Amino acid sequence: MSKIKDVERNIEVIAGQVAAQQMLMETIIVEAMRMNAIGEAQIMALLTQGMEVFERNENMTKHETFGAIGTLTSVLDTIKRAKGAKLID
């Protein structure tokens, strides 16, 4: 197997791990909101501030910023879906 194929497969494995970690993070946040351990206002403020920090961070590449903001946006989408499904208020 070529070195390039090895690297591609390793990247795919890491991408799968990151996707699973994101799913777990979203599940934990929704569960914390369901249990009233964290309020919607607090998590929305945290996510919004996080997005602003990533946008202003000059040490991150455009792709890193895109990935970071995409992850936080995914959390917002998960919260909206959970609210739509009446899992949280």
Side-chain angles (χ1 to χ4, degrees):
M1 190 177 322
S2 73
K3 293 282 186 190
I4 292 175
K5 286 292 184 192
D6 285 343
V7 170
E8 288 174 350
R9 286 196 176 101
N10 287 337
I11 290 170
E12 290 173 359
V13 169
I14 293 168
Q17 291 170 336
V18 170
Q21 290 171 353
Q22 180 175 338
M23 183 187 74
L24 291 171
M25 175 188 65
E26 292 168 358
T27 301
I28 290 167
I29 289 170
V30 168
E31 183 64 12
M33 291 177 71
R34 191 184 69 76
M35 297 175 64
N36 294 319
I38 187 169
E40 183 177 357
Q42 290 88 1
I43 195 67
M44 294 302 184
L46 176 70
L47 294 171
T48 302
Q49 290 170 5
M51 287 182 198
E52 292 171 0
V53 167
F54 287 128
E55 287 175 348
R56 290 192 311 260
N57 188 339
E58 296 176 2
N59 295 319
M60 292 178 74
T61 67
K62 289 180 184 179
H63 292 98
E64 289 172 323
T65 301
F66 178 79
I69 291 173
T71 297
L72 298 181
T73 301
S74 180
V75 173
L76 289 172
D77 291 343
T78 298
I79 291 169
K80 287 178 188 175
R81 284 192 307 276
K83 288 179 86 168
K86 307 287 188 219
L87 297 173
I88 55 177
D89 295 324

